[in-house]
């Protein structure tokens, strides 16, 4: 389990909390993946295609012996097992699992781009991520990710829904 990765989870259909919980259980039950940290759960206004229900979003950290493409295949399989149907681009989904960061790797392929493209512009991704690793550095940035906080729009569309414990990332940005 030598590789560190961060994964974003999202759901905006059906029992959203149950999909997030089941996704974590599926990942944890994989013999080559250990879930080592989880953020609070945030309720977030939809972006991209805005005429859909609100999301629950969170971020987790895993350790894994899988390579990036193997981890991607596991994520896509879990999405499918949990009822994800790919009908509309940016449309509603039972479960979305996006690999955000894998070690300090920089990968650009058709199937997978790491770090996740445009993640640093999306409040629903970086607020949960900064909660579990406030000092995270992306291999594509000179400054720590938290330096993006001032400039990202739509932070007000991201609210704590189920607090994990202790301080959340809003301690970093409130005032
Ligand atoms: C202009 C054009 C501005 C496109 C934003 C942003 C497109 C995000 C797609 C965009 C644009 C996305 C989630 C979501 C989606 C989610 C919330 C996407 C893919 N996934 N909104 N929208 N949470 N709150 O997980 O991320 S669709
Ligand atoms: Mg996504
Ligand atoms: Mg996805």
């Amino acid at each position: 389990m030598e590789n560190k990765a961060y994964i974003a989870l999202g759901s905006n259909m059906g029992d959203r909390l149950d999909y997030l919980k089941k996704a974590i259980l599926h990942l944890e039950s994989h013999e080559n993946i250990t879930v080592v940290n989880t953020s609070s759960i945030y309720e977030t206004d939809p972006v991209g295609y805005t005429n859909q229900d609100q999301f629950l979003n969170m971020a987790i950290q895993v350790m894994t012996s899988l390579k990036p493409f193997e981890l991607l295949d596991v994520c896509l399989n879990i999405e499918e097992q949990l009822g994800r149907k790919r009908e509309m681009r940016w449309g509603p989904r039972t479960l979305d699992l996006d690999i955000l960061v894998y070690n300090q790797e920089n990968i650009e392929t058709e199937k997978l781009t790491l770090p996740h493209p445009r993640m640093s512009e999306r409040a629903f991704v970086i607020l949960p991520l900064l909660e579990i690793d406030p000092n995270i550095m992306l291999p594509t940035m000179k400054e720590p990710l938290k330096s993006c906080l001032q400039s990202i729009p739509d932070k007000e569309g991201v609210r704590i829904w189920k607090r994990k414990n202790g301080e959340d990332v809003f301690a970093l940005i409130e005032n």
Side-chain angles (χ1 to χ4, degrees):
M1 305 286 185
E2 54 276 28
N3 304 291
K4 176 161 84 170
Y6 296 87
I7 299 174
L9 294 79
S11 171
N12 77 335
M13 288 177 70
D15 189 336
R16 301 172 299 169
L17 176 60
D18 198 54
Y19 284 120
L20 298 184
K21 285 181 179 168
K22 287 198 164 98
I24 292 170
L25 288 174
H26 274 73
L27 286 165
E28 182 58 31
S29 71
H30 194 291
E31 62 176 351
N32 299 310
I33 300 173
T34 305
V35 177
V36 296
N37 206 354
T38 61
S39 72
S40 298
I41 298 173
Y42 296 72
E43 190 167 53
T44 68
D45 295 344
V47 301
Y49 176 69
T50 55
N51 185 24
Q52 59 180 322
D53 291 342
Q54 291 189 317
F55 282 78
L56 294 185
N57 285 111
M58 68 183 296
I60 65 174
Q61 184 196 330
V62 302
M63 299 302 292
T64 184
S65 54
L66 302 177
K67 303 253 184 300
F69 286 93
E70 296 172 331
L71 182 60
L72 175 63
D73 283 336
V74 169
C75 289
L76 294 174
N77 274 320
I78 295 171
E79 287 180 350
E80 188 156 13
Q81 286 182 68
L82 293 182
R84 171 93 180 255
K85 299 282 183 289
R86 291 181 182 269
E87 280 153 355
M88 185 200 320
R89 189 182 181 213
W90 301 346
R93 65 283 305 268
T94 56
L95 178 68
D96 184 33
L97 289 177
D98 293 334
I99 306 173
L100 300 174
V101 178
Y102 182 103
N103 295 334
Q104 291 296 299
E105 292 203 33
N106 230 309
I107 299 176
E108 282 195 53
T109 69
E110 196 93 322
K111 273 189 74 181
L112 179 65
T113 302
L114 294 174
H116 191 283
R118 297 172 301 283
M119 60 176 274
S120 48
E121 301 156 19
R122 295 177 181 174
F124 70 82
V125 173
I126 74 170
L127 292 179
L129 179 59
L130 287 170
E131 183 189 338
I132 54 176
D133 191 346
N135 298 311
I136 188 170
M137 299 278 300
L138 302 191
T140 46
M141 289 177 57
K142 289 186 175 169
E143 304 290 322
L145 181 64
K146 64 170 175 263
S147 69
C148 292
L149 274 177
Q150 312 90 291
S151 57
I152 53 160
D154 305 330
K155 288 193 285 275
E156 66 284 351
V158 175
R159 300 161 294 273
I160 293 266
W161 184 78
K162 189 179 177 64
R163 189 180 303 274
K164 189 188 178 188
N165 48 37
E167 286 204 342
D168 54 71
V169 73
F170 292 107
L172 281 172
I173 60 178
E174 278 163 14
N175 291 307

